[in-house]
Amino acid sequence: MENNEFNFYNSENDGYRGSFGEYVDPTPAVPNPEGPENRKKPGRGFSKKVAALVLACAIVGGGAGGLLAAYKLAKEGKTPLLLEKGPSCASSNLANLSGPAACNTSNQKASGITIATERALYDHYVEWARGSANTKLLKNLLSNSTEAFESLVDCGLHFYNYVEYTGDPQYGESLKWAPLHNFVEVGEERIQPIVSAIEAMGGSFIYNCEATEVVLEDGVVAGVKAIRDNNTVLSIATKAVFLATGGFGASEEMIHDRFLGVPLVNMGTPTNSGDGIRMAEAAGAVCENYYGLISNEICGANQKHGSAMYDADWNLNNENLCFAIYGGLMVDETGERFMNEQNMAFDPLVYSGQAGLNNGNYYVLVDGEYYDACVAEGVYKHLGEPDWNFGREMFYPVLSHAPEQFEAAVSEGWAVKGDTIAECAEAFGLTNLEETVKRYNEFCQSKEDADFGKDPMFLTEIKDGKGYYLFEYQSAYWATIGGIRTNDRLTALDADNKPIDGLFIGGLNMGSAFCRPYYDIPGTACGLSIASGVTGAKEIIQYLEA
């Protein structure tokens, strides 16, 4: 079999017609009474095994990493097959996230952005990760960053950068913002052009298809098994498997176990349930020893409120969640401060995750005057319009609906209003809150935070007279980071740090490319993920042709 050739057959009957997307089984398998919950066990949950395929390489996961891997492989004539768990690739986070961070792109050149070079991003990421990421892997990913981005442009997608969005040239001179490219298209309009381009070059897709096992022979990848539509078993013989299934944010079990029981709220896609990580581990791969979050940068969260925070137009259904990221007084379950709250205000994408991971529940106290000001004019104006970029570009600048939504927060159990601080503290058992407020107010009066060094712009005194509002928050996330350990070529490594030949890892499954906390350049997860697709595809081609 040539490396770029499909050779497929059906082990039971001639059910495939034309391409992998047109499977027709004249006698479809019927689930046994034991049910689909046993579908991952050979011979259980099904009356028969239906289909077997032979191909050069299989991609598992139709998000950023998987689609770019498929695009690059197809462009090089390798006709890839991509297995996607959802009904389309638009079920991945790629369909709705803001966009990728990338370097040396045509978009940046057109806007006169010169700071976002490969070397600048590499130096920043390495310094931020402080030894917890594979630095050679980061270099390899960034070296493919430009090609990955331009591939999306070649598919017909459009982007705008932060200079274009704000009209402010300062964003083109900031390494934090200059690498970010925001997608114009969203949902299927974003995904379908990529899929169409891959199909036009000979690639194929199977949807509603959950990969369940990487098959090894003598320690080398020999295939992958999957379930299609919960009733069709696929056994695929292949020399290379690329796992890019998007983290484990939708797996309650993995979230509990790998974040040690910390309460967290998932806002990402329900298909990101850790399949790729579990399959790689079952094949002998090991994970890096840390996990982190791509955090909700829009507001706070609480499991009592749930993960459904927005309507179809991104209107927040309870604006009282927003006080989490305003930089005000924040305490842990003892009622004591635990971090510089301005970090939440300046960079909630990074630090709103850390607040919850380090403390579980955390709490924000505001007085009635502050609350009313946020409702009437917004926190940015109330603080005097300080030098605060996130404050200027806040998602919900004025909390005009917060008062009418407050009782819902109270009934759900994550908010309370009291006439005294002691009354609020008692509601959540915050023993030391009164003493904390007393000390905090002294810092506000002197405009010097002797404990954590918070900028004076956020040192607002907790005042008497109009009552107090206390909110309980937890961290929410769009996706998890942390996963399989790889070498710089994206090959999975085993417990002896040896490569598992034929097993390649991409996207958020790349444990060796990420760190905790998440990088502070917006779009990094998407950027490294699309770059992993190009990098992984090149490595797969080299592996198959060796």
Side-chain angles (χ1 to χ4, degrees), residues 111-113 160-174 177-178 180 182:
S111 295
I113 295 173
Y160 60 92
N161 57 55
Y162 238 68
V163 174
E164 296 168 322
Y165 174 63
T166 64
D168 190 339
Q170 71 161 315
Y171 290 101
E173 301 166 359
S174 166
W177 294 104
L180 176 62
N182 290 282

Side-chain angles (χ1 to χ4, degrees), residues 58-80:
I59 299 167
V60 180
L67 283 174
L68 266 294
Y71 182 88
K72 178 64 175 177
L73 286 165
K75 188 175 181 181
E76 298 297 326
K78 300 303 179 184
T79 53

Side-chain angles (χ1 to χ4, degrees), residues 30 35 60 65 72 87 166 171 179 187-188 193 204 234 244 263 272 285 296 309 324 349 409 428 431 468 480 518 521:
V30 178
V60 180
K72 178 64 175 177
T166 64
Y171 290 101
E188 286 284 1
S204 297
L234 300 181
N272 288 354
N296 167 27
M309 302 181 192
L349 187 65
F428 291 108
T431 307
Y468 305 91
T480 59
Y518 176 55
I521 295 178

Side-chain angles (χ1 to χ4, degrees), residues 225-278:
K225 294 182 179 180
I227 304 294
R228 183 182 183 182
D229 294 327
N230 283 337
N231 63 15
T232 303
V233 180
L234 300 181
S235 181
I236 301 170
T238 180
K239 293 182 178 180
V241 174
F242 185 75
L243 298 178
T245 59
F248 57 93
S251 170
E252 293 183 7
E253 178 182 3
M254 291 182 72
I255 288 291
H256 179 274
D257 293 347
R258 305 197 185 206
F259 289 113
L260 306 178
V262 172
L264 299 169
V265 180
N266 178 31
M267 298 171 62
T269 174
T271 58
N272 288 354
S273 54
D275 299 346
I277 293 174
R278 287 195 295 262

Side-chain angles (χ1 to χ4, degrees), residues 463-525:
K463 300 177 181 178
D464 296 328
K466 298 187 71 174
Y468 305 91
Y469 296 80
L470 182 63
F471 301 97
E472 178 187 72
Y473 297 120
Q474 297 157 352
S475 289
Y477 56 90
W478 302 109
T480 59
I481 53 177
I484 300 302
R485 178 179 296 170
T486 73
N487 60 18
D488 58 283
R489 302 164 69 88
L490 289 178
T491 305
L493 300 177
D494 66 16
D496 295 319
N497 212 42
K498 302 298 182 183
I500 301 173
D501 290 342
L503 182 55
F504 298 88
I505 308 297
L508 296 181
N509 294 159
M510 297 185 294
S512 301
F514 293 100
C515 61
R516 174 174 169 177
Y518 176 55
Y519 298 109
D520 64 338
I521 295 178
T524 292

